[in-house]
Amino acid sequence: MSSWWLSDTQKVGVAFCSGGGFFFTGGVIMFFDRAMLAMGNILFLLGLPLIIGPQKTVLFFARRNKLKGTAAFVAGILLILLRWPLVGFCVELYGIGVLFGDFLVTIGGYAGNVPVVGPWVRWGLERMSGGRRNSELPV
């Protein structure tokens, strides 16, 4: 697969975010292992600015309508680091939902092109996000 549209820095960011997702999923599978959840959070937070840039990352998390999600996300990370992994995971999951919930419609648009199951996936994602919206992507 050719990735000529990504710079080398963005490729490293994608690797960090992928590793963060891997560790985060592993932490959930290992019954909310605090170390794996923390590693997943750290890798995700390192990778996101490398992909979209530090200025756009700060602007995305500091938007007025995203402040509740940002606060919940940061509080979840802190709770995980303070040895409350289950509570921290739930709070962090809420923050992720508030921060990235607007993009479910965009993902559903792409997933809708998959044969057979695509329309069902698109319908489910649109229902979860609260319908169609014109949301701005962070990039």
Side-chain angles (χ1 to χ4, degrees), residues 3-138:
S3 59
W4 56 270
W5 62 88
L6 292 175
S7 69
D8 288 340
T9 305
Q10 288 174 322
K11 290 176 189 176
V12 172
V14 168
F16 279 164
C17 284
S18 299
F22 172 75
F23 276 102
F24 199 74
T25 304
V28 172
I29 290 172
M30 300 289 283
F31 300 111
F32 299 99
D33 181 50
R34 184 176 64 93
M36 290 188 79
L37 290 173
M39 182 60 76
N41 287 327
I42 290 168
L43 288 174
F44 176 75
L45 290 176
L46 286 175
L48 191 62
L50 292 175
I51 294 173
I52 65 174
Q55 184 178 8
K56 288 183 181 179
T57 302
V58 170
L59 288 175
F60 174 73
F61 283 107
R63 283 187 193 165
R64 190 172 208 53
N65 60 342
K66 304 277 185 186
L67 286 178
K68 191 186 331 180
T70 301
F73 185 71
V74 170
I77 292 173
L78 290 176
L79 285 170
I80 288 172
L81 293 175
L82 294 173
R83 298 185 181 196
W84 289 74
L86 182 59
V87 176
F89 173 78
C90 293
V91 171
E92 189 174 348
L93 198 60
Y94 170 75
I96 289 171
V98 171
L99 285 171
F100 300 105
D102 294 342
F103 305 125
L104 291 177
V105 176
T106 305
I107 294 168
Y110 289 113
N113 296 329
V114 175
V116 182
V117 297
W120 295 100
V121 171
R122 179 181 3 185
W123 176 79
L125 289 174
E126 286 176 0
R127 293 272 310 217
M128 283 176 25
S129 69
R132 295 176 185 259
R133 295 185 210 154
N134 287 333
S135 62
E136 295 180 26
L137 295 174

